[in-house]
Amino acid sequence: MKIFSKIIILVLVVVALVAGVFYYSLDKKTREIKTTDVGSVLSQVSKQLFAPPPLTAYKKTDSAVLLQSKIILETNSQRQQNGGLPALKENAKLDEAALAKANDIFLKQYFEHVSPSGVGPGDLAQKYGYEFIVEGENLILGNFSSEKEVVQDWMNSPGHRANILNNRYTEIGVAIIKGTYKGDTVWVGVQEFGLPLSACTQPSVSLKNQIDADNSQLDITLAQINEGKNQIDNTSPQSAGYNQLVKDYNDLVVRYNALASETKAIVATYNIQVNNYNNCVAGK
């Protein structure tokens, strides 16, 4: 009977040692499943803005009636002729921003990308609800015989040409209005270019929420495991409740390892999405 009791004690000690091995591996697994959260990913979006110096084109010519729609057509024609770039899609929010800019120039009598109140092209686009990754603005002031001439004047200027032919832009907004600028009757033309934030698929919020929930549960389970280990360490292997403590401990370890494995798989999927999103934002 004494020999049998010694065998039982030996078995329990072995079980306890195995449980200890599980415990020490858990801490490593906890460190492995850490990941970047959505907030920090979004903060990495570096918004790009291209705004070449405003262009003036005073000419001794009678101005025709210029149309916003034809400015867009001529712009897309230039993109097609120069590298076969895809046509820019008109965006109503960028149209509103462009019109606001043109009106502001006549109202406050300035001709710069940044208004006297400090509002720049990016600020204006966002004011009208356009969230962007890349944004650009072309300005022109003067008299013109046609929409084609307006766009050609921009094309003759390296900085404005680069904006028109930027292959990252997918959308455009335009305003062309007539008014009085410092005593002269002139046209002001504004092009607002953009690549919207929606062009890049953001990491799944539901996946991130699942990771957060899983990590919280892992923390809770790990605390229970630590408590269980303390109870085992402070309980005699010969006591009546020792076996149940070991069983409960091992059940927690199995549960923890299963959830940790599932979470790591979710994190791997999420991080692929993060990488794809950041590459899209960077234009890769």
Side-chain angles (χ1 to χ4, degrees), residues 105-142:
I105 287 172
F106 282 127
L107 177 65
K108 298 176 182 174
Q109 295 291 290
Y110 72 98
F111 192 50
E112 300 291 343
H113 288 289
V114 179
S115 74
S117 59
V119 177
D123 304 316
L124 194 60
Q126 290 181 306
K127 177 181 177 181
Y128 285 92
Y130 191 81
E131 295 296 331
F132 62 90
I133 296 169
V134 186
E135 205 261 353
E137 181 179 83
N138 280 352
L139 300 178
I140 195 167
L141 181 152

Side-chain angles (χ1 to χ4, degrees), residues 51-73:
L55 188 63
T56 56
Y58 286 104
K59 302 171 184 177
K60 294 180 179 180
T61 180
D62 291 331
S63 296
V65 176
L66 305 178
L67 300 177
Q68 177 255 17
S69 59
K70 289 187 177 180
I71 296 286
I72 295 175
L73 287 174

